[in-house]
Amino acid sequence: MRVRHFSAILFSGLTSTSPLACRQAATNTSAAPSAGATPGTSSGSGGVDMAAAILAIMPSSSSCSGAQFPDECRAAQQAAPFITKACADLSPGECAATVALMGLESVEMKAKHNISPGRPGQGTANMMMPNFVSQYATSLFGADKVAGKSPAEVLSMVTPDEHNFGSAAWFLATKCTADVRASLKTGTDAGWAAYNKDCIGVNGSLPERMAYWTRAKAAFNL
Ligand SMILES: *[C@@H]1O[C@H](CO)[C@@H](O)[C@H](O)[C@H]1NC(C)=O
Ligand SMILES: *[C@@H]1O[C@H](CO)[C@@H](O)[C@H](O)[C@H]1NC(C)=O
């Protein structure tokens, strides 16, 4: 319950009032899922062409040209190897869910830090709150490397690509129950709903969340 309580405000950084989110609205609704997947693989990214899958899930990720934060923006092609690695220990359903979440939370990989309200230390591809960023950094580097650093300094430890795109998988593996993971493994809307409600603490049925999941299911052949 404690995890769930904290999670309720976890990923609320980018709201519909943020400039980035507003600009994003057009692409949120214009996406056409594309078949980028090959069925039959039972683990990791499920045999999909990850760059094609990311692009199908995040239609604006074809390039970073004109990005507001060019240092932070990543195109599908750039992020694909890192997300493939992050998904290595997840089922395809779980991997698809993390990619959908990253798309929603990072405004399709345009930012690695929270823009609105601009909470210092909130960030990574799934826009984790500072307490989870700190736990993630500790898991990677050890408590002694994190101690005494400001939230923004801790965030900067985990925003290099190899860590930025691994945080959603870390959160899923660390914070989700076995029941939720089993449900997500089925690749169904029920799994997505459980992931959002029981791990993240939000309503996964909201249209803007479902839109990412619907594209993710198609891209991963779920
Ligand atoms: C698009 O995604 C952003 C980022 O999550 C969200 O705030 C916004 O409401 C979405 N827009 C639409 C039209 O679904
Ligand atoms: C979640 O969102 C859906 C779609 O907007 C809505 O029908 C449902 O009542 C919401 N569930 C909760 C628990 O608020």
Side-chain angles (χ1 to χ4, degrees):
M1 291 316 284
R2 190 166 53 85
V3 165
R4 193 164 150 192
H5 171 71
F6 281 118
S7 296
I9 52 167
L10 213 199
F11 298 121
S12 59
L14 290 162
T15 69
S16 54
T17 56
S18 102
L20 277 175
C22 290
R23 192 184 309 164
Q24 198 57 45
T27 56
N28 285 3
T29 51
S30 66
S34 82
T38 311
T41 313
S42 62
S43 66
S45 48
V48 301
D49 174 339
M50 186 60 83
I54 295 169
L55 185 58
I57 295 164
M58 311 181 200
S60 72
S61 68
S62 56
S63 100
C64 282
S65 126
Q68 186 179 356
F69 303 100
D71 291 349
E72 298 185 24
C73 182
R74 294 294 179 271
Q77 200 77 43
Q78 295 173 292
F82 302 102
I83 294 180
T84 298
K85 189 161 180 243
C87 282
D89 295 327
L90 303 181
S91 65
E94 291 172 315
C95 180
T98 62
V99 178
L101 181 68
M102 288 189 272
L104 178 88
E105 290 296 341
S106 67
V107 194
E108 306 190 356
M109 307 189 298
K110 304 291 181 298
K112 294 180 173 184
H113 73 286
N114 169 244
I115 313 287
S116 172
R119 198 177 284 112
Q122 183 182 358
T124 71
N126 58 327
M127 218 46 76
M128 296 198 295
M129 290 292 275
N131 58 322
F132 293 115
V133 169
S134 175
Q135 290 176 30
Y136 181 48
T138 299
S139 79
L140 289 168
F141 304 109
D144 54 322
K145 297 286 197 301
V146 174
K149 290 197 165 68
S150 72
E153 287 170 336
V154 176
L155 177 60
S156 72
M157 296 168 72
V158 295
T159 46
D161 288 349
E162 61 268 39
H163 305 309
N164 182 66
F165 294 109
S167 55
W170 168 83
F171 187 87
L172 189 156
T174 311
K175 306 295 179 187
C176 293
T177 64
D179 279 357
V180 169
R181 294 194 65 173
S183 183
L184 256 188
K185 220 165 274 188
T186 64
T188 58
D189 292 352
W192 173 250
Y195 173 55
N196 279 267
K197 178 166 174 286
D198 296 336
C199 306
I200 304 168
V202 296
N203 182 354
S205 304
L206 293 172
E208 66 270 26
R209 289 184 173 268
M210 272 311 287
Y212 278 97
W213 174 239
T214 300
R215 292 195 292 270
K217 280 190 300 182
F220 280 79
N221 281 346
L222 298 172

